[in-house]
Amino acid sequence: MNRFFFHLARVFPLIPLKTLTSATKQRTIFPFYHAVSNEEIIHIKHLYKIRSTGDFERDLDFLVKNFIPEDILTFQEKLKNNEPLKHNSFILSFDDGLSEFYDIIAPILLRKGIPATCFLNSGFIDNRDLFFRYKASVLVEKIKKTKSDTFVEKAKIFLKSKNLRAKDISESILAINYPNRSFLDELAIILEVDFSDYLNVKRPYMSSDQINSLIKKGFRFGAHSIDHPEYANIPQDEQISETLESINDVTNRFQLNYKFFSFPFTDFDVSGRFFSRIFSKEHPIADMTFGCAGLKNDSCTDNIQRIPIETDNFTATEIIRGEYYYYIFKGLFNKNIIFRGN
Ligand SMILES: [Zn+2]
Protein backbone atom coordinates (compact mmCIF):
# COMPACT_ATOMS: atom_id res chain seq x y z
CA MET A 1 0.00 0.00 0.00
CA ASN A 2 2.78 2.44 0.94
CA ARG A 3 4.34 1.96 -2.51
CA PHE A 4 1.25 3.34 -4.18
CA PHE A 5 1.73 6.57 -2.23
CA PHE A 6 5.49 6.65 -2.98
CA HIS A 7 4.57 6.48 -6.68
CA LEU A 8 1.98 9.18 -6.15
CA ALA A 9 4.66 11.35 -4.50
CA ARG A 10 6.91 10.72 -7.52
CA VAL A 11 4.35 12.01 -10.01
CA PHE A 12 2.74 14.62 -7.75
CA PRO A 13 5.42 16.25 -5.57
CA LEU A 14 3.76 19.67 -5.44
CA ILE A 15 2.40 20.00 -1.89
CA PRO A 16 5.04 21.83 0.24
CA LEU A 17 6.49 19.71 3.04
CA LYS A 18 5.56 22.48 5.52
CA THR A 19 1.90 22.09 4.58
CA LEU A 20 2.10 18.31 5.05
CA THR A 21 3.79 18.51 8.47
CA SER A 22 1.41 21.13 9.84
CA ALA A 23 -1.72 19.46 8.38
CA THR A 24 -0.79 16.12 9.99
CA LYS A 25 0.91 17.57 13.12
CA GLN A 26 3.66 15.00 12.48
CA ARG A 27 6.61 17.31 12.96
CA THR A 28 9.28 14.78 13.93
CA ILE A 29 10.16 11.95 11.58
CA PHE A 30 12.46 8.97 12.16
CA PRO A 31 14.01 7.77 8.91
CA PHE A 32 16.19 4.67 9.17
CA TYR A 33 18.67 2.65 7.10
CA HIS A 34 20.99 -0.34 7.47
CA ALA A 35 23.99 0.28 5.22
CA VAL A 36 25.30 2.66 2.57
CA SER A 37 27.91 1.54 0.05
CA ASN A 38 28.99 1.89 -3.56
CA GLU A 39 30.02 -1.73 -3.54
CA GLU A 40 27.99 -4.89 -3.52
CA ILE A 41 27.52 -6.39 -0.05
CA ILE A 42 27.00 -10.14 -0.50
CA HIS A 43 25.21 -10.68 2.84
CA ILE A 44 22.63 -7.99 1.97
CA LYS A 45 22.53 -8.29 -1.82
CA HIS A 46 19.62 -10.78 -1.98
CA LEU A 47 17.56 -9.14 0.80
CA TYR A 48 17.06 -5.45 0.04
CA LYS A 49 18.54 -2.59 -1.94
CA ILE A 50 20.95 -0.28 -0.16
CA ARG A 51 21.84 3.32 -1.00
CA SER A 52 25.02 4.43 -2.78
CA THR A 53 26.91 7.29 -1.10
CA GLY A 54 25.61 9.70 -3.76
CA ASP A 55 21.97 8.69 -3.20
CA PHE A 56 22.46 8.80 0.58
CA GLU A 57 23.88 12.32 0.41
CA ARG A 58 20.93 13.40 -1.76
CA ASP A 59 18.54 11.91 0.83
CA LEU A 60 20.32 13.86 3.57
CA ASP A 61 20.22 17.10 1.56
CA PHE A 62 16.46 16.73 1.21
CA LEU A 63 16.10 16.00 4.92
CA VAL A 64 18.16 18.98 6.16
CA LYS A 65 16.38 21.28 3.73
CA ASN A 66 13.01 20.44 5.27
CA PHE A 67 13.73 19.20 8.81
CA ILE A 68 16.22 20.07 11.55
CA PRO A 69 18.49 17.14 12.51
CA GLU A 70 17.98 16.33 16.15
CA ASP A 71 19.81 14.17 18.66
CA ILE A 72 17.79 11.30 20.11
CA LEU A 73 18.54 12.34 23.73
CA THR A 74 17.23 15.86 23.11
CA PHE A 75 14.05 14.35 21.69
CA GLN A 76 13.74 11.98 24.65
CA GLU A 77 14.05 14.91 27.06
CA LYS A 78 11.28 16.81 25.24
CA LEU A 79 9.05 13.74 25.26
CA LYS A 80 9.61 13.22 28.99
CA ASN A 81 8.84 16.86 29.80
CA ASN A 82 5.86 16.99 27.43
CA GLU A 83 7.52 19.91 25.67
CA PRO A 84 5.79 20.92 22.45
CA LEU A 85 7.74 20.13 19.28
CA LYS A 86 8.01 23.57 17.71
CA HIS A 87 9.92 22.85 14.53
CA ASN A 88 10.09 20.09 11.95
CA SER A 89 12.88 17.71 12.87
CA PHE A 90 14.31 14.34 11.91
CA ILE A 91 16.05 11.75 14.02
CA LEU A 92 18.20 9.40 12.00
CA SER A 93 18.97 5.80 12.91
CA PHE A 94 20.67 2.71 11.50
CA ASP A 95 19.97 -0.93 12.37
CA ASP A 96 22.23 -4.00 12.67
CA GLY A 97 25.57 -2.35 13.64
CA LEU A 98 27.22 -2.94 10.26
CA SER A 99 30.80 -1.93 9.50
CA GLU A 100 29.55 0.45 6.77
CA PHE A 101 28.22 2.61 9.60
CA TYR A 102 31.78 3.18 10.78
CA ASP A 103 33.54 3.26 7.40
CA ILE A 104 31.10 5.17 5.21
CA ILE A 105 28.06 6.58 7.04
CA ALA A 106 29.63 8.17 10.14
CA PRO A 107 32.21 10.23 8.15
CA ILE A 108 29.41 11.64 5.93
CA LEU A 109 27.24 12.46 8.96
CA LEU A 110 30.14 14.11 10.79
CA ARG A 111 30.92 16.24 7.74
CA LYS A 112 27.28 17.35 7.53
CA GLY A 113 26.82 17.74 11.30
CA ILE A 114 23.94 15.24 11.54
CA PRO A 115 23.57 13.19 14.74
CA ALA A 116 22.50 9.54 14.54
CA THR A 117 21.80 6.42 16.57
CA CYS A 118 22.91 2.92 15.65
CA PHE A 119 21.19 -0.21 16.99
CA LEU A 120 23.37 -3.27 17.65
CA ASN A 121 22.67 -6.99 17.89
CA SER A 122 24.59 -7.84 21.06
CA GLY A 123 25.44 -11.33 19.74
CA PHE A 124 27.08 -9.99 16.56
CA ILE A 125 29.32 -7.17 17.89
CA ASP A 126 32.98 -7.91 17.00
CA ASN A 127 31.86 -10.36 14.28
CA ARG A 128 31.07 -13.18 16.69
CA ASP A 129 28.23 -14.50 14.52
CA LEU A 130 26.21 -13.66 11.41
CA PHE A 131 22.48 -12.78 11.30
CA PHE A 132 20.53 -15.76 9.82
CA ARG A 133 19.10 -13.65 6.97
CA TYR A 134 22.62 -12.54 6.01
CA LYS A 135 23.63 -16.22 5.98
CA ALA A 136 20.73 -16.87 3.58
CA SER A 137 21.93 -14.10 1.25
CA VAL A 138 25.50 -15.53 1.26
CA LEU A 139 24.13 -19.00 0.39
CA VAL A 140 21.92 -17.66 -2.40
CA GLU A 141 24.97 -15.94 -3.88
CA LYS A 142 26.88 -19.23 -3.76
CA ILE A 143 24.03 -21.03 -5.58
CA LYS A 144 23.76 -18.30 -8.22
CA LYS A 145 27.52 -18.18 -8.84
CA THR A 146 28.29 -21.89 -8.70
CA LYS A 147 29.18 -23.70 -11.90
CA SER A 148 28.66 -27.07 -10.24
CA ASP A 149 25.39 -28.91 -10.80
CA THR A 150 26.27 -31.16 -7.87
CA PHE A 151 25.90 -28.24 -5.43
CA VAL A 152 22.53 -27.29 -6.89
CA GLU A 153 21.33 -30.92 -6.77
CA LYS A 154 22.54 -31.39 -3.19
CA ALA A 155 20.85 -28.15 -2.12
CA LYS A 156 17.58 -29.28 -3.74
CA ILE A 157 17.69 -32.64 -1.93
CA PHE A 158 18.43 -30.91 1.39
CA LEU A 159 15.63 -28.35 1.03
CA LYS A 160 13.20 -31.09 0.03
CA SER A 161 14.18 -33.14 3.09
CA LYS A 162 13.24 -30.16 5.26
CA ASN A 163 9.95 -29.68 3.45
CA LEU A 164 11.15 -26.38 2.03
CA ARG A 165 9.95 -26.81 -1.48
CA ALA A 166 9.59 -23.71 -3.55
CA LYS A 167 9.78 -23.27 -7.31
CA ASP A 168 13.13 -21.70 -6.93
CA ILE A 169 16.07 -22.71 -4.69
CA SER A 170 16.95 -19.11 -3.82
CA GLU A 171 13.36 -18.42 -2.86
CA SER A 172 13.25 -21.39 -0.52
CA ILE A 173 16.60 -20.48 1.11
CA LEU A 174 15.34 -16.94 1.68
CA ALA A 175 12.13 -18.33 3.22
CA ILE A 176 14.00 -20.04 6.08
CA ASN A 177 12.86 -18.35 9.29
CA TYR A 178 14.34 -17.83 12.76
CA PRO A 179 13.06 -21.07 14.37
CA ASN A 180 14.60 -23.02 11.45
CA ARG A 181 17.81 -21.00 11.20
CA SER A 182 20.04 -24.05 11.90
CA PHE A 183 19.04 -25.28 8.39
CA LEU A 184 21.24 -22.48 7.02
CA ASP A 185 24.28 -23.81 8.89
CA GLU A 186 23.56 -27.33 7.62
CA LEU A 187 23.16 -26.08 4.06
CA ALA A 188 26.41 -24.09 4.35
CA ILE A 189 28.30 -27.33 5.02
CA ILE A 190 26.71 -28.93 1.96
CA LEU A 191 27.58 -25.91 -0.20
CA GLU A 192 31.08 -25.63 1.29
CA VAL A 193 30.47 -22.13 2.63
CA ASP A 194 32.30 -21.30 5.85
CA PHE A 195 30.52 -18.54 7.79
CA SER A 196 33.43 -18.11 10.27
CA ASP A 197 35.68 -17.54 7.32
CA TYR A 198 33.19 -15.04 5.88
CA LEU A 199 33.07 -13.18 9.22
CA ASN A 200 36.88 -13.09 9.44
CA VAL A 201 37.45 -11.91 5.90
CA LYS A 202 34.52 -9.53 5.34
CA ARG A 203 34.12 -8.20 8.92
CA PRO A 204 30.43 -7.31 8.33
CA TYR A 205 29.94 -5.83 11.83
CA MET A 206 31.64 -3.06 13.77
CA SER A 207 34.17 -3.92 16.45
CA SER A 208 33.83 -2.71 20.06
CA ASP A 209 36.79 -0.35 19.48
CA GLN A 210 35.09 1.21 16.47
CA ILE A 211 31.86 1.65 18.45
CA ASN A 212 33.74 3.25 21.35
CA SER A 213 35.44 5.70 19.02
CA LEU A 214 32.06 6.67 17.49
CA ILE A 215 30.60 7.19 20.99
CA LYS A 216 33.44 9.67 21.64
CA LYS A 217 32.41 11.51 18.47
CA GLY A 218 28.81 11.86 19.73
CA PHE A 219 26.99 8.96 18.08
CA ARG A 220 24.35 7.13 20.17
CA PHE A 221 23.93 3.38 20.41
CA GLY A 222 21.04 1.14 21.31
CA ALA A 223 20.21 -2.57 21.25
CA HIS A 224 18.50 -4.55 18.48
CA SER A 225 18.03 -7.93 20.28
CA ILE A 226 20.72 -10.59 20.74
CA ASP A 227 20.51 -12.47 17.43
CA HIS A 228 17.69 -10.84 15.46
CA PRO A 229 14.64 -13.12 15.90
CA GLU A 230 11.23 -12.35 14.42
CA TYR A 231 9.36 -11.38 17.59
CA ALA A 232 6.07 -12.72 16.22
CA ASN A 233 7.76 -16.17 15.99
CA ILE A 234 8.98 -16.43 19.58
CA PRO A 235 7.06 -16.66 22.89
CA GLN A 236 6.68 -13.55 25.03
CA ASP A 237 9.17 -14.57 27.73
CA GLU A 238 11.78 -14.97 24.99
CA GLN A 239 10.83 -11.55 23.56
CA ILE A 240 11.44 -10.06 27.01
CA SER A 241 14.76 -11.85 27.53
CA GLU A 242 16.06 -10.95 24.01
CA THR A 243 15.20 -7.30 24.76
CA LEU A 244 16.47 -7.20 28.35
CA GLU A 245 19.72 -9.09 27.75
CA SER A 246 20.67 -7.17 24.61
CA ILE A 247 19.98 -3.79 26.27
CA ASN A 248 22.00 -4.81 29.35
CA ASP A 249 24.86 -6.06 27.20
CA VAL A 250 25.06 -2.92 25.04
CA THR A 251 24.64 -0.43 27.91
CA ASN A 252 27.22 -2.22 30.13
CA ARG A 253 29.72 -2.93 27.35
CA PHE A 254 29.75 0.72 26.23
CA GLN A 255 28.81 2.34 29.57
CA LEU A 256 25.74 4.14 28.26
CA ASN A 257 23.42 6.05 30.58
CA TYR A 258 20.38 5.62 28.32
CA LYS A 259 18.53 2.51 27.13
CA PHE A 260 17.18 2.43 23.57
CA PHE A 261 15.98 -0.58 21.58
CA SER A 262 14.84 -1.09 18.01
CA PHE A 263 12.80 -4.18 17.14
CA PRO A 264 14.44 -6.75 14.87
CA PHE A 265 12.29 -6.99 11.69
CA THR A 266 9.10 -5.46 13.10
CA ASP A 267 7.09 -4.88 16.28
CA PHE A 268 3.96 -6.05 14.46
CA ASP A 269 1.73 -8.10 16.81
CA VAL A 270 3.92 -7.36 19.86
CA SER A 271 1.42 -7.15 22.71
CA GLY A 272 0.45 -4.44 25.17
CA ARG A 273 1.58 -6.77 27.96
CA PHE A 274 5.11 -6.87 26.51
CA PHE A 275 5.25 -3.06 26.52
CA SER A 276 3.85 -2.84 30.09
CA ARG A 277 6.79 -4.99 31.19
CA ILE A 278 9.39 -3.10 29.11
CA PHE A 279 8.23 0.29 30.40
CA SER A 280 7.19 -0.78 33.93
CA LYS A 281 7.44 2.13 36.39
CA GLU A 282 9.34 0.07 39.00
CA HIS A 283 11.89 -1.72 36.76
CA PRO A 284 11.87 -0.31 33.24
CA ILE A 285 13.89 -2.36 30.73
CA ALA A 286 14.09 0.43 28.11
CA ASP A 287 13.67 4.22 27.95
CA MET A 288 12.32 4.17 24.41
CA THR A 289 11.75 1.51 21.73
CA PHE A 290 11.49 1.83 17.95
CA GLY A 291 9.42 0.05 15.31
CA CYS A 292 9.35 0.51 11.55
CA ALA A 293 5.69 0.92 10.56
CA GLY A 294 6.27 4.25 8.78
CA LEU A 295 4.59 7.52 9.72
CA LYS A 296 2.23 6.21 12.37
CA ASN A 297 1.34 6.72 16.04
CA ASP A 298 1.47 3.97 18.63
CA SER A 299 -0.90 3.56 21.57
CA CYS A 300 2.29 2.82 23.50
CA THR A 301 3.74 6.35 23.36
CA ASP A 302 7.30 5.31 24.27
CA ASN A 303 7.37 3.07 21.19
CA ILE A 304 8.24 5.28 18.23
CA GLN A 305 7.52 4.27 14.64
CA ARG A 306 10.30 4.92 12.10
CA ILE A 307 10.24 5.21 8.32
CA PRO A 308 12.28 2.58 6.41
CA ILE A 309 14.10 4.36 3.58
CA GLU A 310 15.61 1.34 1.78
CA THR A 311 12.53 0.66 -0.32
CA ASP A 312 13.18 -0.30 -3.96
CA ASN A 313 14.39 2.65 -6.01
CA PHE A 314 12.37 5.33 -4.25
CA THR A 315 14.25 8.38 -3.01
CA ALA A 316 13.89 9.64 0.57
CA THR A 317 11.93 12.58 -0.89
CA GLU A 318 9.37 10.25 -2.46
CA ILE A 319 9.17 7.94 0.56
CA ILE A 320 8.73 10.70 3.15
CA ARG A 321 6.32 12.73 1.06
CA GLY A 322 4.47 9.48 0.23
CA GLU A 323 4.28 8.60 3.94
CA TYR A 324 2.59 11.97 4.58
CA TYR A 325 0.11 11.36 1.75
CA TYR A 326 -0.60 7.88 3.14
CA TYR A 327 -1.01 9.32 6.66
CA ILE A 328 -3.59 11.83 5.42
CA PHE A 329 -5.39 9.07 3.53
CA LYS A 330 -5.47 6.74 6.57
CA GLY A 331 -6.64 9.67 8.69
CA LEU A 332 -9.92 9.56 6.77
CA PHE A 333 -10.56 6.11 8.31
CA ASN A 334 -8.97 6.78 11.74
CA LYS A 335 -6.22 4.28 10.95
CA ASN A 336 -3.16 6.22 12.07
CA ILE A 337 -2.70 4.61 15.44
CA ILE A 338 -1.46 1.13 16.32
CA PHE A 339 -3.48 -0.39 19.18
CA ARG A 340 -1.82 -3.09 21.27
CA GLY A 341 -3.87 -6.06 22.43
CA ASN A 342 -2.84 -8.36 25.25
ZN1 LIG B 1 17.77 -5.51 11.84
Side-chain angles (χ1 to χ4, degrees), residues 122-166:
S122 58
F124 304 153
I125 300 166
D126 292 318
N127 292 291
R128 279 172 290 142
D129 202 352
L130 189 62
F131 171 28
F132 75 95
R133 294 283 291 153
Y134 292 163
K135 288 182 178 175
S137 183
V138 172
L139 294 178
V140 167
E141 180 73 0
K142 174 82 184 198
I143 286 286
K144 286 191 188 280
K145 288 279 156 73
T146 187
K147 304 249 176 337
S148 149
D149 288 343
T150 332
F151 276 153
V152 177
E153 269 322 298
K154 280 184 178 172
K156 268 189 195 159
I157 293 167
F158 174 79
L159 293 165
K160 213 169 165 185
S161 76
K162 302 290 182 192
N163 277 328
L164 293 166
R165 272 165 287 180

Side-chain angles (χ1 to χ4, degrees), residues 228-232 263-270 290-293:
H228 217 296
E230 293 140 328
Y231 270 32
F263 284 90
F265 296 106
T266 164
D267 61 2
F268 183 72
D269 254 0
V270 172
F290 296 85
C292 55

Side-chain angles (χ1 to χ4, degrees), residues 78-91:
K78 282 187 192 164
L79 197 68
K80 216 164 53 190
N81 301 333
N82 264 328
E83 257 179 65
L85 305 166
K86 289 185 200 116
H87 49 249
N88 296 342
S89 61
F90 74 100
I91 293 162

